[in-house]
Amino acid sequence: MALRPIICLPDPRLRLVSKPVAKVDAGVRALMDDMLETMYDAPGIGLAAIQIAEPLRVVVIDAAKKDDPPEPMFFINPEITWSSEETSVHEEGCLSIPDYYEDIERPAKVRVRFLDRDGKAREIDTEGLLATCIQHEIDHLNGVLFIDHLSRLKRERAIKKFAKAAKRAVDERSGEGETP
Ligand code: NI
């Protein structure tokens, strides 16, 4: 297992549509192990492969409560097959959009079809935090970020803020941040 760097807004790779996994093999399992280690280290409760610059439809999640034992979950080629009309609002954040949180409204319950770690087809019903998290992660596989669910004004403000921070980091690295 290895820690992998997480890419952040405004990295254009976050807008890629990830490709389906053709075969669940040792390479995919090694990728998921890296993703899980990287997610726990961050720390976060969900991570899509594209967040470590791998454009594959792979997601890891651990939505266990803080003091409960870890409950790692692996989703390969996940698809939402049903969503409830009922919605719920959760405050969301994203490891690729650090220190930024907003309330997002999504379907309260979703049914998800996917391949598990052993390549077996499964379908589960989710609600609560897990439902929010899996929808957030599947969005990543389609190049969608949680800020895309905000009003245009709020979204543009967030994008501008991260673009500025990225520019500042580049300037500082090249020594141009010293301008009085
Ligand atoms: Ni995210």
Side-chain angles (χ1 to χ4, degrees):
M1 297 219 283
L3 279 182
R4 307 268 294 258
I6 294 174
I7 61 174
C8 289
L9 197 69
D11 193 310
R13 287 171 293 182
L14 290 170
R15 295 305 190 174
L16 291 175
V17 175
S18 295
K19 294 214 161 52
V21 170
K23 188 169 181 279
V24 182
D25 57 14
V28 174
R29 280 188 281 272
L31 169 67
M32 291 191 292
D33 289 341
D34 284 358
M35 287 169 63
L36 198 68
E37 190 180 347
T38 303
M39 180 189 85
Y40 283 141
D41 179 73
I45 61 167
L47 193 75
I50 190 59
Q51 294 181 272
I52 57 163
E54 299 277 359
L56 281 173
R57 302 188 81 82
V58 177
V59 164
V60 298
I61 290 179
D62 189 334
K65 289 202 187 73
K66 213 173 150 229
D67 296 316
D68 287 354
E71 248 175 75
M73 301 177 81
F74 305 92
F75 299 87
I76 299 157
N77 302 341
E79 257 179 274
I80 291 170
T81 55
W82 172 83
S83 331
S84 63
E85 263 169 48
E86 181 202 342
T87 60
S88 64
V89 175
H90 280 275
E91 188 182 63
E92 294 187 30
C94 180
L95 294 176
S96 296
I97 311 177
D99 303 318
Y100 186 83
Y101 304 90
E102 286 286 354
D103 283 343
I104 304 291
E105 184 177 13
R106 300 184 186 266
K109 298 176 184 177
V110 292
R111 185 167 302 143
V112 185
R113 187 183 345 180
F114 60 101
L115 299 177
D116 69 13
R117 226 186 128 80
D118 300 314
K120 211 175 122 218
R122 295 183 54 187
E123 196 162 49
I124 58 166
D125 287 322
T126 65
E127 59 182 341
L129 182 60
L130 180 58
T132 287
C133 192
I134 189 72
Q135 291 175 80
H136 175 122
E137 302 309 331
I138 290 175
D139 271 356
H140 272 299
L141 305 183
N142 297 321
V144 174
L145 300 171
F146 83 90
I147 54 172
D148 299 341
H149 296 277
L150 296 171
S151 69
R152 191 168 148 192
L153 185 71
K154 269 193 176 173
R155 177 173 64 247
E156 282 173 359
R157 214 184 283 151
I159 288 172
K160 219 177 265 172
K161 180 179 146 186
F162 280 86
K164 259 192 213 154
K167 188 178 176 299
R168 225 171 16 244
V170 169
D171 288 350
E172 273 160 25
R173 268 201 301 276
S174 60
E176 289 161 16
E178 254 68 71
T179 333

